[in-house]
Amino acid sequence: MEKQILNILNELVEGQKKIDKLMESQKKINELVNSQKDLAENQKKIIAQLDSLDSQVKENTQILKSLEHKADVNTAEQDRMSHDIAEMNGNLNGIRKDLMQVELITASNWSDIVKLKAVK
């Protein structure tokens, strides 16, 4: 009978060891589940951040396109202004020539006036 009790006790001890191993395994599984939940939450946060970055990139792209357009407009305006300045410069040179002609003719007229006054 002692042997039977000893066998039963040994079986109980072995059963307890198995239960302890199962409990340890269950604990590890719970830790893995919690880690998986944390990873899922972090993944959601990363996705939200990526969505935010995507929106920011789209906004920045629109701003960049707007700035590029503005730069093109400014370049066109500068080209037009350069053309206008060149045209004005040409006109100014023409006016200078005409003014020199007026000066020559005025000098000639004064010379004629002096001659006429001298004849009188």
Side-chain angles (χ1 to χ4, degrees), residues 18-76:
K18 288 180 183 179
I19 289 173
D20 289 343
K21 285 182 183 179
L22 285 173
M23 292 296 283
E24 192 67 32
S25 294
Q26 183 64 39
K27 186 177 179 181
K28 289 180 182 178
I29 289 172
N30 288 340
E31 288 173 1
L32 288 173
V33 167
N34 288 335
S35 291
Q36 191 273 339
K37 286 179 183 178
D38 290 342
L39 287 174
E41 286 178 27
N42 288 337
Q43 184 181 21
K44 287 178 184 177
K45 289 177 185 177
I46 290 171
I47 289 171
Q49 289 174 344
L50 285 175
D51 289 342
S52 175
L53 287 174
D54 187 45
S55 297
Q56 187 64 48
V57 166
K58 287 178 183 177
E59 182 180 343
N60 290 347
T61 301
Q62 289 175 345
I63 291 170
L64 181 60
K65 286 180 181 180
S66 175
L67 290 173
E68 287 174 341
H69 175 70
K70 185 67 174 174
D72 291 342
V73 168
N74 286 342
T75 301

Side-chain angles (χ1 to χ4, degrees), residues 82-106:
S82 293
H83 179 267
D84 290 347
I85 289 170
E87 185 179 342
M88 285 184 215
N89 195 17
N91 290 341
L92 184 59
N93 288 334
I95 291 171
R96 281 187 185 145
K97 287 179 184 177
D98 291 344
L99 187 56
M100 286 175 28
Q101 287 294 329
V102 168
E103 285 180 23
L104 284 172
I105 293 169
T106 302

Side-chain angles (χ1 to χ4, degrees), residues 30 33 109 111-112:
N30 288 340
V33 167
N109 288 344
S111 174
D112 289 343

